[in-house]
Amino acid sequence: MTSTRRSFLKIAASAGGGLVLGFNWFDAVAADTLQAGGGLPALVHSSKNAAAAASVEFNSFLSIAPDGLVTILSPNPEIGQGIKTAFPIVVAEELDVDWNRVNVVQSALDNKKFDRQLTGGSGAIKHSWTRLRKAGATARQLLMQAAAQRWSVPVTELTTDKGVVFHKASNRKLPYGELVADAAKLPVPADVPLKDPKSFKLIGGTIKNVDNKNILTGKPLFGIDFYREGMLTGMIQRPAFGYKLKSVDAKAAKAMPGIVDVVTFKNNVAVVGKSTWQVKKAREALKIEWEKDGSTESNADHDRLFTEMLNGGKATVQRKDGDVDAAFKSAAKVVKAEYQCPFLPHSPMEPMNFFAHVKFGPNGPESCELAGPTQTPDMARNETAKLLNIPADKITVELTRMGGGFGRRLKADYVVEAAELSSLVKAPVKLIWTREDDMTGGSYRPAVRYRFEAALDAQGNLIGYKLRGASINAGNSTRQDNFPSGAVPNLLIDSVDHKSPITTGAWRAPITNFLAFAEQSFIDEVATAAGKDPVQFRLDLLDKAKASPTGAIKYDIDRMIAVIKLAAEKAGWGQKKGADGKAVAQGFSVYFSHNSYVAQVGEVVMQKGKPVLQKIYAAADCGIIINQSGARQQVMGGIVDGIGHAMYGNMTFKDGVPQQANFNDYRLIRMNEVPAVEVHFVDNGIEPTGLGEPALPPTGAAVSNAYFKATGQRLRNQPFINQDGFKGVS
């Protein structure tokens, strides 16, 4: 992690072909070694058969050594979504190489060679699918051309398999390693053929995450593990929301063992020292006085604001179709409901941290080295460049694996803090947030309240639909073009937002993480009021949108219908009976987000008078599956996350001060509360779309709608455990 990609190639070259430096954790001949100057492991691979030549860099994504070892660079930050495994699989597939001969290396930031080098919005695979395939296919074509020249045969007569070129007519073959030197001299072809998906060997299979062994054995992969000889450790005391620094007495802290300095900047007080424990204890010894700046807010303020925004706030119309007023005036029945969600912290298991080393010249900062867990390395670099007033190309960013992020690490505030602290103390500094820092000083999911209204005619048809989103720091809290828009002839969607000093930001599946629960729960309420089956009610709306759409349709109707039918089929919708012979209470939900479609069926059974969530069925359409293992984990992880936060997550504020600071008072789902999860994928052969986020939004409604079927009570407010009359779901 302390070597750049450029130095990696330089080391390989200087080794005369006998050594190839890489990160293949599973190679039997690999031996752990510590890189000079750093604390993260590398692996050195030796080969007695390697020719005296360096690895050949075919393109930005891959190089091949003379012994046939393939090194594939994975440029996007790895946050647990499996991108560090998925990207190389795509390259290796088109290269047609043996996966056991592949080393995967996390690339540092290099936006001259890589495009969209970030993790967010579930868009990495969709964005890079074709360029990754071309990277592998181009190298494969060059190797085949080199073999064709050596054998004096047409390249069209050659085939490849597991890193070997074959000429079956003459029964000859050559491994890639013996061709790399010749291939490197050939001009790069402008256009190369890509594999027919029917011939994929790796894509669509089940491949272990390349970091599994190191995670399980505690190898230092994460930002919190990063170590640089001579670095200092820093911690910052930040104010609560709506407060500013009045005074600080640091005398006692400065006198404590291992403490190098105490500095103040931008309303913050930072302690810098030689070890995490010494710095933490010294920070506790600080005597800080804060004062309100007049903008503090409490939950009671937000309740009042929500009421005002829903009843009389100046709303921004996001979409309007037909004559809504006329539809509601003529309605045979009107259904109304409100749903509310709280602020939520991101709660990644690895708190925020980052390493920064600002280097000075005679006129001030000249360059900076950054290393750590960030979803947006380019933003981190650019924000640091602004802070230091130096060119962005004078800043390097090494990427470590992240122990979660869920959108929190899209921001660069903690990176800039590390850089500023390094510049103030003129030394390399690793900034560390404690769990309490992370939970109380972070960026939260916005709090939102939704009001829905539906107009039904005498036949139970949905003829009018209204949605108002009232939010704290969410901006537009709706997704006005998502289903059921386009399926209702008269529709009005608007939003109102309040600007608060409580910082908010993207939280896994932004906006839709709660909106989907509210919309899909309300659609169930409307179906019940219309006397119709909830699944058929949705299918009828989609058929209507397809036959006679109202306004723009910005979701794929057929893809949504397909996941609905698949989920209903796999769950045995409406047909299952429990051990007691009674029907199993099932709840349905479907949602489109991040270019993918996920439908879910939740099952609740009554045991000793108490509702028990026993299973979730999920059907997902995200196009071609790169890695079955990674894809299933993403869906299952999203479902567990969705259940846990719908059931338990709650962040409250009093006078701007967060009332929950650690997991002793902020409830997360526990392992014994996770139901069985069964995942199915729609096989339609389209190019891949996102999967890191789409499985979370539908989950809350699948649970709440099943709970209603079992108990007769509607769950409209999250967390469910705080709702009056909640009987509990175990």
Side-chain angles (χ1 to χ4, degrees), residues 182-219:
D182 292 344
K185 300 172 186 176
L186 298 175
V188 177
D191 194 20
V192 293
L194 300 179
K195 281 187 177 182
D196 184 332
K198 294 178 182 178
S199 67
F200 284 163
K201 302 168 185 175
L202 296 175
I203 292 175
T206 298
I207 295 177
K208 294 177 181 178
N209 188 295
V210 295
D211 282 339
N212 275 357
K213 185 177 180 181
N214 295 282
I215 293 171
L216 292 170
T217 56
K219 292 293 191 300

Side-chain angles (χ1 to χ4, degrees), residues 260-282:
V260 174
D261 204 354
V262 176
V263 295
T264 61
F265 64 99
K266 295 178 181 173
N267 252 359
N268 300 320
V269 183
V271 181
V272 180
K274 295 181 179 179
S275 75
T276 302
W277 182 251
Q278 289 172 325
V279 170
K280 184 176 184 295
K281 298 307 291 183

Side-chain angles (χ1 to χ4, degrees), residues 666-681:
Y666 181 80
R667 178 84 153 81
L668 290 176
I669 192 170
R670 294 164 183 152
M671 292 181 70
N672 65 346
E673 294 165 335
V674 177
V677 178
E678 185 175 311
V679 181
H680 301 274
F681 294 104

Side-chain angles (χ1 to χ4, degrees), residues 338-354:
E338 291 185 10
Y339 297 80
Q340 183 169 330
C341 73
F343 291 100
L344 290 180
H346 294 79
S347 304
M349 292 309 295
E350 178 192 19
M352 300 303 107
N353 66 88
F354 226 80

